[in-house]
Amino acid sequence: GNNEGAGAWPPPDDLECYRSSTAEANDSFEDDTLVVEPDQGNVLSHIISQLRPGADLSKVVLPTFILEPRSMLERITNFMCHPEMLLPIPEIDDPVARFVAVVKFYLSGWHIRPPGVKKPLNPVLGEIFTCYWDFPDKARAYYISEQTSHHPPKSSYFYMVPGHHIRVDGTLQPRSKFLGNSAASVMEGTAILSILNRGKDPLKGERYILTQPNMYARGILFGKMKYELGDHSFVRCPETGLSADIDFKTKGWVSGTYNAIGGFIKNDHTGEILYELSGLWSEEMFIRDVKTGQKEMFFNALRSRPSPPVCRPLAEQEERESQRLWAKTAQAVKDRNHELATEEKTKIEEAQREEAAKRANDGVEWHPRLFRRVRGGPGGPEEGEEDLEWIINATIDGATPEKQAAQIMAIYPIVKGQKFNTQNAIPPRASQSDPSARPKELDGGQDDLIDFGDDSPAPQQEPSTTTHRAKNGPLIDFHDDMKKDLPGSAKRADSTESDDEFVDAQG
């Protein structure tokens, strides 16, 4: 293509190594959104075993073979696994071309997922996951996330590439319910991508607001189990007035195809539609310039090679970091030892409930360690970011990429070998003086966490200043809880409380 429209974004040469240029699409491409599980027949019996008089039918525990062996906090990083789509964006001068490149980056991450129907592990309150990516141009991207709420579940995250003018702040709030032969994970929440060298306000940069499609699991009880993305998601740039409406199409009863997308990019100020989008999110996607009629390949998921992040070894992680926390559960899931996976997962969930009860008893309100509330509202320093609710509790304003990287790494250990900075161990907690403060997670509400994913579960030492402060402080020594075995009578099937709730997929 010429230098206009959709052809304007070849990745720079030094990022070519991210692309698998030789990977040929396999003609006999197998649909990996279908579940291939010898245990699938057990789903129905597993669910029936939980039905007894007085049971809440909306709370049904899913068998562990549907679990992806990693936490939601790690699953979110799928989004950042095509840096070759993201890093060139700040250098694009034309605002329309820049917006189209953001949409391309947005669409590039959906094909990254485990085969079949998998649900990531529900992060526990205060769970943390960090990682980083090293790029060919010696740049490095950093990611920090924390589970900032349990009822409703909220995963807050921060991503930044010092030297490339890219920052992402996001909160994901999955709601998930089971009804009939389908399950849906309704993905509420928003992400704000900031291009820091663009836009009128140099402190905020040019901002793009991103939402997510919902995820569906079909055929839970009968038929083939199938993973689908569905419903509309949006990319908007308030400053330029450009927006994209992307329709993730679910297959109809009679017609239609799986994994299709449609949509358009338009100028909201004039109402003019500039581009149309089509194709399959799992294979090839196309963009058509409405003015010229020219249609070209936008993104080819079959030939793309994701760049997974690097994590610190388990031995360096604290007990409440995702990979170490879920290590035993994840290994059991990988080994298909579903009895052990259920047992290990239950231990962690029980410990979480005990902590919540203790906080309620002590009149202590829980606060995130690494994130703080957004200071929004008209004229507020973070006006326009209210939907995030939580934002990283740090100022990243270094004059050089090296200084910015140092500010990011001071928040929490990210890179292999990085020592824990005890100064930053525990932010001040506001609630102990207020006896009326009641932990949100005990106010009822739905326990509808979704399990997203963590390939290597994580450990955590609470900094020594806090390990034994359960009596006076909000932290409980989680380590002891983890070592406790449950009483023999507490079988999964006997529990009416579940962290896995689902939504009717056939809206």
Side-chain angles (χ1 to χ4, degrees):
N2 54 18
N3 268 344
E4 295 171 8
W9 310 280
D13 291 341
D14 65 346
L15 288 166
E16 274 297 316
C17 66
Y18 283 109
R19 309 179 71 199
S20 156
S21 49
T22 55
E24 284 302 322
N26 188 342
D27 289 338
S28 59
F29 175 68
E30 200 173 302
D31 184 0
D32 69 352
T33 57
L34 281 169
V35 80
V36 205
E37 279 287 354
D39 299 307
Q40 192 209 333
N42 295 349
V43 179
L44 184 54
S45 58
H46 190 98
I47 288 169
I48 288 171
S49 73
Q50 296 170 59
L51 304 182
R52 59 205 166 284
D56 178 353
L57 296 186
S58 71
K59 296 201 167 190
V60 172
V61 180
L62 286 180
T64 54
F65 67 77
I66 292 179
L67 296 178
E68 181 181 359
R70 54 179 193 157
S71 156
M72 170 69 100
L73 294 180
E74 186 172 351
R75 169 83 167 253
I76 291 168
T77 62
N78 286 1
F79 230 158
M80 293 85 171
C81 284
H82 279 295
E84 76 279 11
M85 301 291 155
L86 180 62
L87 300 193
I89 292 172
E91 307 316 314
I92 300 172
D93 290 325
D94 175 53
V96 175
R98 198 161 58 242
F99 185 86
V100 173
V102 169
V103 173
K104 183 177 186 174
F105 160 69
Y106 173 83
L107 287 171
S108 71
W110 299 110
H111 72 102
I112 305 169
R113 64 192 191 290
V117 178
K118 296 290 179 190
K119 181 174 174 298
L121 293 158
N122 300 325
V124 301
L125 192 63
E127 182 177 321
I128 288 169
F129 175 75
T130 69
C131 62
Y132 62 100
W133 291 255
D134 281 328
F135 303 136
D137 66 354
K138 307 294 184 240
R140 179 175 273 174
Y142 302 90
Y143 172 87
I144 298 173
S145 58
E146 180 175 5
Q147 191 72 0
T148 46
S149 172
H150 186 60
H151 285 299
K154 288 179 187 169
S155 303
S156 298
Y157 57 95
F158 161 84
Y159 170 90
M160 193 163 176
V161 195
H164 278 276
H165 314 293
I166 286 166
R167 173 172 174 162
V168 180
D169 296 278
T171 292
L172 187 62
Q173 182 178 334
R175 277 191 306 112
S176 162
K177 287 185 184 151
F178 163 85
L179 190 61
N181 196 30
S182 291
S185 298
V186 179
M187 306 307 270
E188 295 177 351
T190 188
I192 299 175
L193 166 64
S194 305
I195 309 296
L196 300 171
N197 63 335
R198 303 283 173 179
K200 294 189 202 82
D201 183 344
L203 293 176
K204 295 188 172 182
E206 183 176 76
R207 293 190 163 167
Y208 297 80
I209 316 294
L210 315 171
T211 64
Q212 293 208 26
N214 298 323
M215 298 181 182
Y216 292 94
R218 312 292 191 193
I220 290 281
L221 301 182
F222 51 86
K224 277 189 175 171
M225 285 179 73
K226 170 78 182 172
Y227 170 89
E228 280 196 282
L229 294 175
D231 313 312
H232 288 257
S233 64
F234 299 92
V235 178
R236 295 188 179 96
C237 179
E239 192 164 320
T240 60
L242 296 169
S243 71
D245 178 339
I246 300 151
D247 182 11
F248 289 81
K249 303 178 180 196
T250 54
K251 185 177 181 297
W253 285 105
V254 180
S255 62
T257 182
Y258 281 115
N259 306 348
I261 63 150
F264 52 83
I265 294 171
K266 73 170 185 173
N267 182 331
D268 289 333
H269 294 155
T270 64
E272 181 191 5
I273 291 181
L274 308 175
Y275 295 94
E276 288 174 351
L277 303 165
S278 61
L280 305 178
W281 56 260
S282 54
E283 300 180 34
E284 297 175 340
M285 289 179 269
F286 300 90
I287 187 165
R288 188 176 82 88
D289 185 326
V290 171
K291 243 184 211 149
T292 65
Q294 184 185 356
K295 179 178 177 179
E296 52 187 282
M297 174 78 73
F298 199 34
F299 181 76
N300 186 346
L302 295 176
R303 294 193 179 196
S304 72
R305 189 173 62 209
S307 308
V310 182
C311 301
R312 286 152 46 243
L314 289 197
E316 291 184 20
Q317 296 182 20
E318 294 190 323
E319 286 169 19
R320 217 166 193 120
E321 289 186 60
S322 299
Q323 292 188 343
R324 185 165 151 192
L325 175 67
W326 296 105
K328 291 179 178 173
T329 309
Q331 191 55 52
V333 169
K334 288 176 191 166
D335 295 343
R336 295 176 181 262
N337 184 341
H338 303 309
E339 196 174 322
L340 181 61
T342 302
E343 193 181 305
E344 292 296 339
K345 181 167 171 276
T346 305
K347 277 185 202 172
I348 292 171
E349 290 163 353
E350 287 295 328
Q352 179 173 232
R353 287 180 195 121
E354 284 174 25
E355 288 188 342
K358 176 146 180 56
R359 279 193 300 274
N361 195 41
D362 294 348
V364 168
E365 185 181 344
W366 183 86
H367 291 274
R369 289 172 72 183
L370 309 181
F371 288 76
R372 61 163 174 79
R373 288 205 176 273
V374 166
R375 299 170 187 136
E382 285 137 18
E383 184 177 355
E385 298 175 60
E386 291 81 6
D387 286 351
L388 294 175
E389 191 174 343
W390 301 96
I391 197 163
I392 198 76
N393 189 14
T395 303
I396 315 296
D397 58 0
T400 64
E402 293 73 27
K403 284 181 179 164
Q404 290 178 13
Q407 288 175 316
I408 294 167
M409 289 192 290
I411 300 167
Y412 196 86
I414 303 172
V415 177
K416 285 180 183 175
Q418 189 184 338
K419 295 288 178 263
F420 190 73
N421 175 358
T422 48
Q423 286 178 314
N424 227 23
I426 292 281
R429 318 233 167 198
S431 61
Q432 297 192 52
S433 56
D434 179 6
S436 66
R438 176 172 167 78
K440 255 191 199 157
E441 70 268 28
L442 291 174
D443 287 343
Q446 295 176 326
D447 196 356
D448 29 290
L449 288 191
I450 288 193
D451 271 25
F452 257 55
D454 254 357
D455 266 6
S456 16
Q460 156 196 344
Q461 308 147 311
E462 279 297 356
S464 55
T465 50
T466 63
T467 308
H468 297 292
R469 279 183 50 196
K471 230 178 189 164
N472 313 314
L475 285 179
I476 287 182
D477 189 356
F478 192 72
H479 191 63
D480 287 345
D481 285 327
M482 294 289 292
K483 287 191 288 201
K484 261 189 246 164
D485 278 323
L486 289 177
S489 61
K491 290 191 185 129
R492 191 69 167 159
D494 297 336
S495 162
T496 55
E497 187 170 2
S498 148
D499 283 339
D500 304 326
E501 232 187 292
F502 277 77
V503 162
D504 182 13
Q506 308 290 14

